[in-house]
Amino acid sequence: MRGDRSDRLLKKEIFNLNRHLPSRRKTLSELLNEDRPHVTGVDGTRHRFKIAELEELAGMLTDDEIKRLRLPIYIEIDSETSGARIAGATEVRVVSEVLGRDDEGDEIYIYRPEIRVLRARFPTVTQYIFLVREL
């Protein structure tokens, strides 16, 4: 019984950690057409993107990828793994280019030193999302 309560509390805390996430992500194309590019979080806060980051990102992509890429790029922190996961073919291509790694397909796992490099280059284009698996 006590374990169930602890599990519920942990899940609630994880939910609170993710309240900043946008209710709807926007494509890079949409954001480049806004005067003040932003998304609105589930908690009502605005997450603003730096135009210079968006333009740098656009310079790395084809026109089709610019229309498809949804931002922010999520850095998934999972309770069961030591690294962070980034999913999506375009997202993986961007991250691979930034880190100087070979493109790994539809998902890539990165670790703390690589997360620092990615976040230093694209602090407003990336966001953490915290995941917890069934306990």
Side-chain angles (χ1 to χ4, degrees), residues 75-78 80-85 109-112 115:
I75 301 170
E76 298 177 2
I77 308 295
D78 191 328
E80 292 186 347
T81 61
S82 60
R85 176 180 172 260
Y109 284 87
I110 61 175
Y111 299 90
R112 187 171 288 142
I115 292 171

Side-chain angles (χ1 to χ4, degrees), residues 1-11 134-135:
M1 192 66 132
R2 183 160 175 80
D4 290 343
R5 185 170 189 269
S6 296
D7 291 351
R8 283 194 314 271
L9 287 173
L10 179 61
K11 286 179 184 178
E134 289 300 316
L135 303 171

Side-chain angles (χ1 to χ4, degrees), residues 1-2 4 6 9 11 14 31 41 45 48 58 66 77 82 84 89 95-96 103-104 108 110 115 121 127:
M1 192 66 132
R2 183 160 175 80
D4 290 343
S6 296
L9 287 173
K11 286 179 184 178
I14 297 293
L31 292 165
T45 60
R48 295 183 190 259
I66 290 170
I77 308 295
S82 60
V95 172
S96 296
D103 188 336
E104 299 179 21
I108 187 172
I110 61 175
I115 292 171
R121 182 141 169 211
Q127 271 190 343

Side-chain angles (χ1 to χ4, degrees), residues 1-130:
M1 192 66 132
R2 183 160 175 80
D4 290 343
R5 185 170 189 269
S6 296
D7 291 351
R8 283 194 314 271
L9 287 173
L10 179 61
K11 286 179 184 178
K12 184 177 180 181
E13 287 302 313
I14 297 293
F15 175 78
N16 286 334
L17 287 172
N18 288 328
R19 291 186 59 187
H20 68 286
L21 296 174
S23 52
R24 183 183 84 80
R25 295 192 300 167
K26 295 180 183 177
T27 65
L28 177 54
S29 178
E30 287 177 277
L31 292 165
L32 286 169
N33 288 316
E34 293 181 2
D35 290 334
R36 295 182 179 180
H38 72 281
V39 291
T40 304
V42 172
D43 61 359
T45 60
R46 281 184 141 191
H47 174 83
R48 295 183 190 259
F49 296 93
K50 290 184 179 175
I51 293 172
E53 285 182 48
L54 297 175
E55 290 172 345
E56 180 180 357
L57 190 57
M60 300 168 70
L61 302 171
T62 66
D63 289 341
D64 187 48
E65 290 170 326
I66 290 170
K67 292 175 186 168
R68 266 195 339 256
L69 180 64
R70 296 203 176 279
L71 296 177
I73 295 172
Y74 289 146
I75 301 170
E76 298 177 2
I77 308 295
D78 191 328
S79 62
E80 292 186 347
T81 61
S82 60
R85 176 180 172 260
I86 297 174
T90 306
E91 291 85 344
V92 169
R93 194 167 89 63
V94 167
V95 172
S96 296
E97 185 173 326
V98 169
L99 299 177
R101 289 175 54 175
D102 291 333
D103 188 336
E104 299 179 21
D106 289 344
E107 68 178 10
I108 187 172
Y109 284 87
I110 61 175
Y111 299 90
R112 187 171 288 142
E114 295 169 313
I115 292 171
R116 276 198 292 269
V117 169
L118 179 62
R119 292 283 292 166
R121 182 141 169 211
F122 290 117
T124 67
V125 168
T126 57
Q127 271 190 343
Y128 293 108
I129 181 171
F130 299 94

